Amino acid sequence: MAFFTNFLLPLLLLATLSPTPALSYLSPGARKWRDATDDSSHRTYIVLVEPPRSDASEDMHRRWHESFLPSSLTGDSSEETRLLHSYTEVFSGFAARLTEAEVGAVAKKPGFVRAFPDRTMQLATTHTPEFLGLKNGAGIWSSADYGKGVIIGLLDSGIYAAHPSFDDHGVPPPPARWKGSCDASRCNNKLIGAKSFVGGDSGDEVGHGTHTSSTAAGNFVAGASYKGVSAGTAAGIAPAAHVAMYKVCTDERCDTSTILAGMDEAIKDGVDVLSMSIGSDSSISFELDPIALAAFSAVSKGITVVCSAGNNGPARITVTNDAPWLLTVAAGSVDRSFDASVYLGDGRRVDGEALAQAAKPSSGRHPLLYSEQRQFCEYGGDGSVVAGKIVVCGATTSRTQVSDIHRMLDAGAAGVLLSSLQFSGYTTVLRDYNSSVVQVTAADGKVLRDYATSANNVVSVTYNNTLLGVRPAPVVAWFSARGPSRIAPGILKPDILAPGLNILAAWPSKTKSASGSLNVISGTSMSAPHVSGVVALVKSLHPDWSPAAIKSAILTTADAVNSTGGPILDEQHRKANACATGAGHVNPARAADPGLVYDITAAEFGGYICWLQSTDAAMATGAAMDSSLPCGELTKITDAQLNYPTITVPLRPTPFTVNRTVTNVGPAVSTYTVKVEAPTTLAVHVSPETLSFTKAGEKKTFSVSVSGHGVTEQELIAEGSLSWVSEKHVVRSPVVAVVGIGSPPPAP
Ligand SMILES: *[C@@H]1O[C@H](CO)[C@@H](O)[C@H](O)[C@H]1NC(C)=O
Ligand SMILES: *[C@@H]1O[C@H](CO)[C@@H](O)[C@H](O)[C@H]1NC(C)=O
Ligand SMILES: *[C@@H]1O[C@H](CO)[C@@H](O)[C@H](O)[C@H]1NC(C)=O
Ligand SMILES: *[C@@H]1O[C@H](CO)[C@@H](O)[C@H](O)[C@H]1NC(C)=O
């Protein structure tokens, strides 16, 4: 086979592209991530090579990979440290520390496919199960046995194994196919795997991995609360599923080469679900992204890969982890508030929130102070000005703000009302400042600033602890990244919305408490593990379903509206569009029984990659992914024709037709009739309009024609939906028409 050996061009491309990926949570104090290079001229490269014989042992793989290293290195002791990882499952390849000249030499060796410079990425509950309709002893928790027998692997910052969320009461031993090992301080039937790829042990110095693991599969913990708020029984979404932690991030960095090592191990170990709350600043072509390729390998092996959509919203075209074989999760609010009501002297009330609730229920009445000099809470050293007053000021992302706020309080300020940034709308990302700090929305901040200019103004704060049933909910959080995808605009991304704002879950602790430490944090890092838990529940009921079928089940049963039938809103309280919510808000109970699924085989995803990419690149990635799927033998499949459970077409006046095939996974004999909902500007025709099934597993194909009329160029998208409706099921797909897509993929 002739492989793509002109590596210089892609390397140059990569050097300029290389965005910095991260754990996808919002950490105001997070350090800036360093570049993956170091002081020396060596840097880490991920090198794809032709696979050795299919029966090659791990040792033979390693020796084959070592044979690519420059000969001056073989036999000398530095070789050991030069070859960082040898990959066998995600693709055939390795990570090594090389100079640019050495990469040049490696590229000349027969069997070389492609080299990627390493990149640094960032790490992107008591109530959320109930909010998602999960009830102890009933519904899908009961029918899916709480996710029993399913293994969720997490690529994250490690795990605090002693936390009561990882007790194994009610969890059976792992299935016999499990091959992994566990190096944690406590391993049991809940925590069956733990391994560090960043040196040290698998403990969690960040907290992120403990939080995401307990969200996906934490066991029931009674009396869980955060500093007294939100008391209740905490549980993850799949409380009986097994957890395997692959520690690939430290508090400073997650490198691609390390993430790949974790994925390689997870595939070998036999996980069913891979949960990845890690993201980068921007998406890059799948062919240049070894993580997308590795995830494709995982999906081809039947593993569902769930990823955070990223926190770069609310602007369009910010979604990351956007390959069609991934399940990409956006973040929304839940119907809970950590309420702190601000009463104005004129009788008005502003509903703020405080994560640290005050011990005494009210602050007493104090004059309200606002000044241009401290509009962003600058302290300035003038203690007498703030003493005895409640100060209203605007939040920034600056780290000095926290210390300024504390200095104001130390100087005797009675409180601080911190107003969020304009673009965050109604989203308040809570942070544990101090019980005297109340966070309010930007709009409420303006109300307070205006009131501060009136004579004899006075305010007081009343703490109401945790309020449930807050409306409207869910609301898309401002930071949740939006579609369309830059790389694949013809596939709707993100796929789904799940809770990711102010999520309470397990946290490492130095002190042992019966209920364990908890923390409230936000990000698409928090929404992804909710969906990983749902995948585990569906997988537990349907162990033979492909990742695409599981995704279809979750997408076609998602809620398009909130619990009172109103549209799901975005952070500005406008109707959220499909580029913010995907198919809608996840509904675990319905996902277990979708009726019909839109399935996609690995070969079909391969056909899509071959269509998307240049021939050379497709050959390279095809070789890397699975040598049995060369592009020459695959039918190319366009984005619009991929059997995706959502439908995205170009917005134009002439009809654009796509075909879809559904598989009957409901009652053997069933009849579905189509129901189309669309604005007058969008004509959607489905043919045939009725699908009759007589067997389980039977497939039926239909076509959908979409045309837009009288839509102005300003409206970038128009959306409707098509649903297949039977007596027992509604199988809904959003139909999204987007301006400016639908041309062939760009030339390389
Ligand atoms: C809040 O700040 C005040 C003033 O610095 C301090 O006395 C108090 O202990 C702080 N409260 C909490 C919960 O940190
Ligand atoms: C908070 O509590 C006060 C006093 O009990 C009550 O008047 C107010 O309505 C509560 N606020 C909310 C948002 O429920
Ligand atoms: C549902 O959304 C509508 C607006 O779209 C809102 O008025 C209503 O309060 C919401 N209901 C809930 C339960 O959040
Ligand atoms: C869609 O299906 C119809 C009927 O099977 C077929 O004639 C048509 O070629 C298909 N269209 C595409 C774009 O595959």
Side-chain angles (χ1 to χ4, degrees), residues 339 341 343 349 351 462-464 467:
D339 186 75
S341 299
Y343 288 88
R349 186 184 89 194
D351 289 331
T462 301
Y463 295 88
N464 287 24
L467 297 181

Side-chain angles (χ1 to χ4, degrees), residues 19 22 40 78 80 142 145 189 235 299 322 326 348-349 357 361 364 451 459 473 505 525 616 643 647:
S40 75
S78 62
E80 206 57 25
S142 165
D145 231 353
N189 288 338
V299 169
D322 47 353
L326 302 175
R348 284 182 294 167
R349 186 184 89 194
Q357 294 270 315
Y451 177 65
V459 295
S525 270
D616 278 349
N643 200 36
I647 295 169

Side-chain angles (χ1 to χ4, degrees), residues 406 409-410 433-436:
H406 280 113
L409 294 172
D410 285 342
Y433 291 96
N434 180 293
S435 57
S436 304

Side-chain angles (χ1 to χ4, degrees), residues 78 122 258 263 346 407 471 486 497 506 513 558 717:
S78 62
Q122 303 122 6
T258 316
M263 291 175 89
D346 61 10
R407 286 162 68 199
R471 294 180 176 196
R486 192 172 66 80
L497 180 67
S513 81
I717 85 168

